[in-house]
Amino acid sequence: MERDIDQAVKAIVNAGYVIALTGAGISTESGIPDFRSAGGLWAKYNPAEYATIEAFRSDPEKVWRMLFDMVDITVSARYNAGHAALAELEKMDILRCVITQNIDNLHQEAGSENVIEYHGNVSRLECLYCGQDYDKNEFDAVTLIQNRIPPICKKCGEILKPAVILFGELIPEEATVRSLEAARKADAVLVIGTSAVVYPAANIPLVAKQNRAVIIEFNTETTALTNFATDIFIQGMAGQTLPEMVRRLKAAR
Ligand code: APR
């Protein structure tokens, strides 16, 4: 790992436009299980049954059973050293943006400002029937979570959906445009804690690669991307490897 981090430091020092794509793996050290590792969320809930927009429309209470599990863990999670390292890179004027597939708000809580939420955010709620949207603070989230009662739209009485992207839903237009623009400008992409199997998010490093960006992957294990597009693979826990890289970048300045 040591040599790989030195290689990454060199690539970042020579880069002019560095972006990051993060997945659930950057939040596992905050206590939030990822989806596809052993013991991940999809080991407990079949995504085809619980995580599609059709499943939500046909049986919202059932989908909320999974969502309450996710929200329960997310609401008490705190950002970790990996999130903080990316916020530090932004403050050092090195990192231009974080494109995250995560819905846990931990990048923002760690201080990252330019965060593109590719799969939405669990702290907002939307009504699929009348279009009304809400901030989670407009509800007594603690009681709802404790009693496992899905939130109800105050306008039309239907069950609300968290503003997270379920399978079968489109990526928010603004997130698509901003992340493609960033990928086209990037000459280095930090791909952190993602299995890189869900599109279109997994396409972001490939778009950057077409423009000859260096792909630097941080993961505890190899992924679909590693042998296909990754230039520098840094194996380890992101909560350790990212802060170590930031430490060496500071020393290299
Ligand atoms: N440090 C680095 N990598 C980690 C860590 C860690 N501490 N913990 C787990 N990982 C890696 C795993 O090895 C795996 O490659 O993070 C990756 C997590 O992959 P997934 O569970 O598939 O999560 P993600 O890639 O974010 O999934 C993408 O799929 O289900 C949908 O909408 C959901 O946003 C999600 C999308």
Side-chain angles (χ1 to χ4, degrees):
M1 174 174 76
E2 301 302 310
R3 187 177 46 79
D4 302 324
I5 293 186
D6 283 336
Q7 267 188 308
V9 167
K10 231 178 258 132
I12 290 169
V13 165
N14 293 325
Y17 202 97
V18 183
I19 67 173
L21 171 69
T22 66
I26 198 170
S27 295
T28 55
E29 292 163 80
S30 296
I32 303 176
D34 64 16
F35 295 94
R36 295 172 182 83
S37 295
L41 199 71
W42 295 157
K44 187 173 175 189
Y45 295 103
N46 175 355
E49 227 189 296
Y50 284 89
T52 68
I53 188 62
E54 296 77 18
F56 190 89
R57 286 189 191 282
S58 60
D59 190 347
E61 283 96 342
K62 176 176 175 183
V63 173
W64 265 105
R65 282 202 293 278
M66 172 204 59
L67 289 168
F68 276 126
D69 264 9
M70 282 171 91
V71 169
D72 223 356
I73 302 163
T74 309
V75 80
S76 52
R78 293 289 165 265
Y79 66 85
N80 64 57
H83 299 105
L86 292 186
E88 181 73 19
L89 283 182
E90 187 182 64
K91 285 186 188 53
M92 292 165 69
D93 282 332
I94 290 175
L95 189 63
R96 303 296 181 112
C97 69
V98 177
I99 304 164
T100 187
Q101 301 171 84
N102 301 338
I103 58 170
D104 54 30
N105 212 49
L106 294 184
H107 284 299
Q108 294 90 328
E109 289 178 22
S112 287
E113 290 179 8
N114 198 357
V115 179
I116 301 173
E117 295 178 318
Y118 212 70
H119 290 162
N121 189 312
V122 75
S123 51
R124 292 188 300 277
L125 295 151
E126 58 195 3
C127 181
L128 297 178
Y129 297 90
C130 71
Q132 185 66 33
D133 55 22
Y134 301 87
D135 184 284
K136 76 171 176 6
N137 298 328
E138 295 180 62
F139 294 85
D140 174 358
V142 174
T143 309
L144 291 178
I145 294 173
Q146 269 167 357
N147 302 321
R148 291 312 206 228
I149 304 166
I152 300 297
C153 178
K154 297 175 182 174
K155 208 168 146 196
C156 74
E158 292 290 344
I159 292 178
L160 293 174
K161 172 182 161 296
V164 299
I165 304 301
L166 298 176
F167 287 109
E169 282 191 282
L170 289 176
I171 302 301
E173 169 79 14
E174 192 219 349
T176 302
V177 171
R178 285 177 61 202
S179 49
L180 270 181
E181 191 185 320
R184 287 192 184 113
K185 286 183 191 165
D187 48 10
V189 184
L190 313 180
V191 181
I192 305 158
T194 180
S195 57
V197 294
V198 173
Y199 284 80
N203 200 37
I204 290 164
L206 306 183
V207 168
K209 184 93 185 168
Q210 279 165 357
N211 302 336
R212 287 182 299 287
V214 176
I215 307 299
I216 306 169
E217 193 178 9
F218 295 78
N219 203 305
T220 45
E221 58 193 32
T222 57
T223 68
L225 202 66
T226 312
N227 298 323
F228 173 57
T230 298
D231 298 296
I232 303 169
F233 181 70
I234 297 173
Q235 184 149 24
M237 308 278 274
Q240 293 162 16
T241 52
L242 285 171
E244 177 55 26
M245 184 183 74
V246 171
R247 195 184 63 74
R248 293 193 201 176
L249 272 165
K250 283 181 176 168
R253 285 195 139 182

